[in-house]
Amino acid sequence: MNVLEPTRKAALSVVEVATLCHLSPSRFHALVRQQVFPKPVKATEGRRPHYTHELVQRCIEIRSTGIGENGLVTLFNRPAKKKNDRKRPVITPATSEHATLIEALQGLGLSVTPEIVAAAVRNVFPDGTSGLEESDITRKVFVFLKRK
């Protein structure tokens, strides 16, 4: 597990320490209440709680070993992986006679080339597509290609 390296700052906020330990602030606070992690210190009355460099090191050690301040073993989930944006099909500019059909099929999520579309049109419409609605052609070619 990669725990981030702490900075050389004299004190870190609770949120910064939670981030270093790959935990959400709310989960980190809950673990502090359960005495898994040490409590932050307050320099003076009314000041924001913070962690000294030594306490930060201790928190990172607890996260790495899984043995808390209370002496109990604590299991941590792996850090969540970032979700990639849904990959969209690469839309290539069509220069063939079926350019509109290719764009429509790519918009529906199919990765097609002019050659594939031309072959599909020949299979679905052996007598040609003249006189047919564009939407009917798109639908029938799409169904044909999805069944392949």
Side-chain angles (χ1 to χ4, degrees), residues 101 125 128-141:
L101 179 59
F125 304 103
T129 59
S130 60
L132 296 173
E133 290 287 323
E134 202 171 307
S135 60
D136 289 336
I137 296 169
T138 302
R139 182 176 46 80
K140 289 180 181 179
V141 170

Side-chain angles (χ1 to χ4, degrees), residues 2 10 14 20 27 33 36 39-40 45 49 51 53 58 60 64 90 92-93 96 100-101 109 111 120-121 135 138:
N2 278 339
V14 176
L20 283 174
R27 178 67 177 142
R33 283 190 301 275
V36 172
K39 289 184 179 182
E45 191 73 28
Y51 282 89
H53 186 72
R58 181 66 186 128
I60 292 172
S64 299
V90 176
T92 56
S96 72
T100 307
L101 179 59
S111 297
V121 168
S135 60
T138 302

Side-chain angles (χ1 to χ4, degrees), residues 89-90 105-106 109-113 116 145:
V90 176
L105 293 171
Q106 288 177 338
L110 294 180
S111 297
V112 292
T113 62
I116 292 172
L145 290 172

Side-chain angles (χ1 to χ4, degrees), residues 39-60:
K39 289 184 179 182
V41 296
K42 291 185 181 180
T44 60
E45 191 73 28
R47 294 267 315 200
R48 205 166 91 181
H50 64 276
Y51 282 89
T52 62
H53 186 72
E54 292 77 25
L55 288 175
V56 171
Q57 294 297 331
R58 181 66 186 128
C59 290
I60 292 172

Side-chain angles (χ1 to χ4, degrees), residues 59-132:
C59 290
I60 292 172
E61 180 184 334
I62 290 168
R63 176 67 163 122
S64 299
T65 63
I67 300 173
E69 285 285 297
N70 56 8
L72 299 176
V73 174
T74 303
L75 299 176
F76 297 99
N77 291 332
R78 283 182 285 185
K81 294 181 181 178
K82 291 185 178 181
K83 293 181 181 178
N84 291 337
D85 289 334
R86 193 178 91 180
K87 293 187 178 184
R88 296 183 178 228
V90 176
I91 299 177
T92 56
T95 57
S96 72
E97 61 181 292
H98 302 294
T100 307
L101 179 59
I102 292 170
E103 281 183 40
L105 293 171
Q106 288 177 338
L108 292 169
L110 294 180
S111 297
V112 292
T113 62
E115 295 80 22
I116 292 172
V117 172
V121 168
R122 281 193 303 273
N123 281 327
V124 176
F125 304 103
D127 297 329
T129 59
S130 60
L132 296 173

